[in-house]
């Protein structure tokens, strides 16, 4: 391993550790709370060391009350997204509520061959309690997890 690779690897781990630490400093049992109808997000400045090269894993504890999402208004509650330009994302992990209150968890990764995506249809109220969600892409396969189990 060259000094450049080693240094880059350390920087990547440090950046991710810093992000995780900054997210976990809230009091126990709380998290980033986003209000329906109010645009808000947790912003991580762009850095090429945070772009996936051969794979990515995104995980979050999520509490999503789908009973509060109105129909007729487009909603895409987003857990994580790199590049907010529609269709130009490097990756995204979100609920695809759309304007019909769909209950679909979506994960997409933009690759050289185009978007690789998957989704999981969840039941009404299924994510109304704190739930651990994860999305992985290893360069070939995309998998979504709910509480550690593939869905």
């Amino acid at each position: 391993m060259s000094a450049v690779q080693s240094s880059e690897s350390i920087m990547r781990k440090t950046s991710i550790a810093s992000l995780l630490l900054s997210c976990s400093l809230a009091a126990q049992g709380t998290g980033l709370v986003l209000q329906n109808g109010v645009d808000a997000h947790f912003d991580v400045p762009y850095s090429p060391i945070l772009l996936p090269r051969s794979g990515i894993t995104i995980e979050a504890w999520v509490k999503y009350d789908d009973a509060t999402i109105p129909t007729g208004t487009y909603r895409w509650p987003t857990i994580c997204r790199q590049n907010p330009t529609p269709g130009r994302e490097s990756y995204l992990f979100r609920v695809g509520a759309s304007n019909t209150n769909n209950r679909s968890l979506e994960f997409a990764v933009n690759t050289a061959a185009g978007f690789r995506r998957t989704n999981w249809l969840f039941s009404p109220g299924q994510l109304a309690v704190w739930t651990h969600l994860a999305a992985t892409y290893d360069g070939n396969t995309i998998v979504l997890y709910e509480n550690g189990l593939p869905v």
Side-chain angles (χ1 to χ4, degrees), residues 8 11-12 15-16 19 41-53 56 80-85 88-91:
E8 184 175 305
M11 288 175 25
R12 181 183 303 265
S15 297
I16 293 170
L19 172 62
H41 62 279
F42 181 77
D43 191 21
V44 178
Y46 172 80
S47 172
I49 66 170
L50 296 178
L51 292 177
R53 293 196 182 135
I56 184 171
C80 184
R81 180 179 183 158
Q82 204 298 315
N83 188 351
T85 306
R88 307 279 320 239
E89 302 90 347
S90 297
Y91 50 86

Side-chain angles (χ1 to χ4, degrees), residues 25 27 31 38 43 47-48 54 58 62 75 79 89 92 94-95 107 118 131 142 149:
L25 291 178
V38 178
D43 191 21
S47 172
S54 60
I58 301 170
V62 174
R75 302 274 189 232
I79 298 165
E89 302 90 347
L92 64 81
R94 68 183 182 190
V95 174
F107 179 53
T118 191
T131 305
I142 289 182
L149 299 174

Side-chain angles (χ1 to χ4, degrees), residues 125-136:
Q126 188 170 354
L127 302 179
V129 297
W130 286 108
T131 305
H132 184 259
L133 299 174
T136 65

Side-chain angles (χ1 to χ4, degrees), residues 117-148:
R117 43 176 88 241
T118 191
N119 68 344
W120 167 59
L121 301 175
F122 56 90
S123 302
Q126 188 170 354
L127 302 179
V129 297
W130 286 108
T131 305
H132 184 259
L133 299 174
T136 65
Y137 173 66
D138 66 4
N140 292 311
T141 306
I142 289 182
V143 182
L144 293 173
Y145 295 87
E146 178 201 22
N147 292 324

Side-chain angles (χ1 to χ4, degrees), residues 2 9-10 17 62 87 115 122:
S2 73
S9 175
I10 291 168
V62 174
F115 271 106
F122 56 90

